[in-house]
Amino acid sequence: MTTRVRASRREIFGWAMYDFANQAYTLLIITVVFGDLFTRVIVGDAPDYRVGNLLWSLALSTSYLLVVVCSPVAGAIMDYTASKKRFLFASYLLTVLGTAALYFAAPGYAWIAVVFLIVSNFGFSIGEAFIASFLPGLGPPEDLGKISGFGWALGYVGGMVSAVFVLLVLGEVSAENFDHIRWVGPWAAAFVLVAAIPTFLWVREPGRPRTLPPGIGYLGMGLARVRQTLAHLRTHRDLAILLVSVFFSMSGIYIVISYAFIYGAQVIGWDESVRTLMFVLVQITAAVGAFGFGFIQDRLGALRTYAITLVMWMVAIALIYLTPILSDLARDGLGLDWPAQYIFLVVGCVAGLSLGACQSATRALVGLFSPLSRAAELFGFWGLALKLAGMFGLLAIGLLQALVGLQTAILFCVLLFATALVVAFGVNERRGRAIAEAHDAGQVVW
């Protein structure tokens, strides 16, 4: 029988430091700076930037497709050979090198940005599944919500720390400031490179490597393990249903992460000072949401917490769409001067709380439903669901915004979160945990 015991504080901190490092990539490259730089300056098809937005979606979707192809097989190989840290290190190096190379993207050379965005986002995205696969071994089930929430919260702190240099030294996103702001790629790469070092020093490699059967290579073994998992996935019914729900919820979240600051620049038309304030508020509220809801989910259950965050997301998306309308109503109906960009700040706080809490809850649920001996493999399927979601969501929003504009297209996210909530009603958290525990106890053998 495999017993889940709480890891040392140093190991948990080392694991969480990967979230701390990773958030620099999410924040500076995907959410706040490079996405805006790519659409408005490097591509620069003003006034509506629909071509730039579509290319942005296509580049990210391509990287997610690569993760979909590679993640489950890589997870199976990692479990069998006890090589999680080696795979994680390879994805880490790919992220760092690809991100640093974004410096060479410039107006008229959008293809360079597309190529290195695909490379860097592939490394970052598959690394998310690799680092998450360590979670089930860091503590007993009742602690996983807090541990996962701590990692997400520390990640948002990392985002704020990494952005200080950009805000104080690199300046605004504009064609006039291009020679300075193009350094955002090398800076994000350097931050990830240094901040993730504690992970590789302090996190232990779980499990023991097994010898390959005669005549079978690593790829063949990985594919065989994936086929075996798919054949037995009905045993993990609740995990399978959860992954379907995660597909829809993360489709919406990937759209928000990838387009929130693009939306602020193109639809809201915010000032640089408001953009900076939004960045700070979202990081703080996301950290609070991840850490605070980590304790809540250990009391209410991760599934109930997940459902609450989906409702919060639907409210946030509706408010995002209504922001310009609310500003006009306040001015014309009530005589109040409420600029849309300041209403958008309040909406950003609601979205920030939802962002950290939702992602932490889903990661904790997968950890609860995953036997230790199959953790990397099942988190590989979690990674597959996430990247399928990213690919689907970003392709859909890219095409929709090209047809109807970004403001109207954002309403698609409400449908995605509502679908995720309906599907989640089919998950039984107690049953899913019991199956994983039975597998750890040797009562279920594949």
Side-chain angles (χ1 to χ4, degrees), residues 348-362:
C349 292
V350 179
L353 284 172
S354 309
L355 179 65
C358 187
Q359 293 181 104
S360 176
T362 57

Side-chain angles (χ1 to χ4, degrees), residues 237-309:
R237 171 186 172 187
D238 298 290
L239 177 60
I241 297 173
L242 173 68
L243 292 179
V244 175
S245 176
V246 166
F247 168 81
F248 288 105
S249 63
M250 289 305 299
S251 292
I253 288 176
Y254 274 112
I255 290 172
V256 174
I257 288 174
S258 303
Y259 274 94
F261 280 69
I262 294 173
Y263 190 95
Q266 296 180 11
V267 177
I268 304 300
W270 56 19
D271 299 330
E272 186 67 22
S273 60
V274 175
R275 170 180 167 271
T276 301
L277 184 57
M278 173 66 92
F279 147 72
V280 174
L281 289 174
V282 168
Q283 295 307 296
I284 292 174
T285 54
V288 170
F291 191 69
F293 274 87
F295 286 90
I296 292 173
Q297 71 190 42
D298 284 336
R299 288 183 173 272
L300 294 182
L303 185 62
R304 288 181 181 176
T305 304
Y306 173 52
I308 291 170
T309 64

Side-chain angles (χ1 to χ4, degrees), residues 111-430:
W111 66 271
I112 295 179
V114 169
V115 168
F116 288 115
L117 184 63
I118 291 171
V119 171
S120 64
N121 198 54
F122 170 75
F124 163 77
S125 299
I126 202 167
E128 279 189 307
F130 293 167
I131 190 65
S133 70
F134 288 88
L135 177 61
L138 295 179
E142 60 271 15
D143 285 349
L144 293 189
K146 291 189 285 289
I147 294 171
S148 180
F150 172 67
W152 281 115
L154 191 62
Y156 291 115
V157 173
M160 290 189 65
V161 173
S162 69
V164 169
F165 177 79
V166 176
L167 297 175
L168 297 181
V169 179
L170 299 187
E172 65 180 6
V173 176
S174 66
E176 295 76 18
N177 190 46
F178 180 74
D179 286 341
H180 287 93
I181 198 64
R182 71 187 305 180
W183 283 94
V184 67
W187 165 246
F191 189 90
V192 173
L193 178 68
V194 174
I197 289 174
T199 303
F200 298 102
L201 292 178
W202 296 337
V203 176
R204 295 175 295 110
E205 178 68 59
R208 295 180 180 178
R210 283 168 280 182
T211 304
L212 286 174
I216 298 180
Y218 287 114
L219 179 59
M221 180 274 300
L223 290 171
R225 296 262 295 183
V226 170
R227 286 194 296 269
Q228 187 182 40
T229 298
L230 288 172
H232 291 82
L233 200 56
R234 60 179 176 270
T235 305
H236 292 272
R237 171 186 172 187
D238 298 290
L239 177 60
I241 297 173
L242 173 68
L243 292 179
V244 175
S245 176
V246 166
F247 168 81
F248 288 105
S249 63
M250 289 305 299
S251 292
I253 288 176
Y254 274 112
I255 290 172
V256 174
I257 288 174
S258 303
Y259 274 94
F261 280 69
I262 294 173
Y263 190 95
Q266 296 180 11
V267 177
I268 304 300
W270 56 19
D271 299 330
E272 186 67 22
S273 60
V274 175
R275 170 180 167 271
T276 301
L277 184 57
M278 173 66 92
F279 147 72
V280 174
L281 289 174
V282 168
Q283 295 307 296
I284 292 174
T285 54
V288 170
F291 191 69
F293 274 87
F295 286 90
I296 292 173
Q297 71 190 42
D298 284 336
R299 288 183 173 272
L300 294 182
L303 185 62
R304 288 181 181 176
T305 304
Y306 173 52
I308 291 170
T309 64
L310 293 175
V311 174
M312 292 169 60
W313 265 122
M314 286 186 276
V315 172
I317 298 300
L319 291 174
I320 287 172
Y321 171 77
L322 291 172
T323 293
I325 299 172
L326 292 174
S327 179
D328 292 340
L329 288 175
R331 183 185 65 249
D332 299 336
L334 302 175
L336 298 173
D337 184 20
W338 289 358
Q341 59 181 344
Y342 295 119
I343 297 176
F344 198 54
L345 286 175
V346 178
V347 177
C349 292
V350 179
L353 284 172
S354 309
L355 179 65
C358 187
Q359 293 181 104
S360 176
T362 57
R363 185 167 68 176
L365 276 168
V366 176
L368 290 172
F369 293 170
S370 297
L372 290 176
S373 61
R374 296 265 176 172
E377 187 175 347
L378 292 175
F379 267 101
F381 279 95
W382 175 73
L384 183 150
L386 261 61
K387 303 321 165 191
L388 273 178
M391 185 175 63
F392 169 75
L394 290 170
L395 279 177
I397 198 70
L399 294 172
L400 282 172
Q401 65 83 31
L403 294 172
V404 300
L406 188 54
Q407 183 181 2
T408 303
I410 204 71
L411 287 174
F412 177 59
C413 294
V414 176
L415 177 62
L416 292 172
F417 289 122
T419 305
L421 182 61
V422 172
V423 173
F425 289 146
V427 179
N428 185 316
E429 183 175 347
R430 181 177 297 178

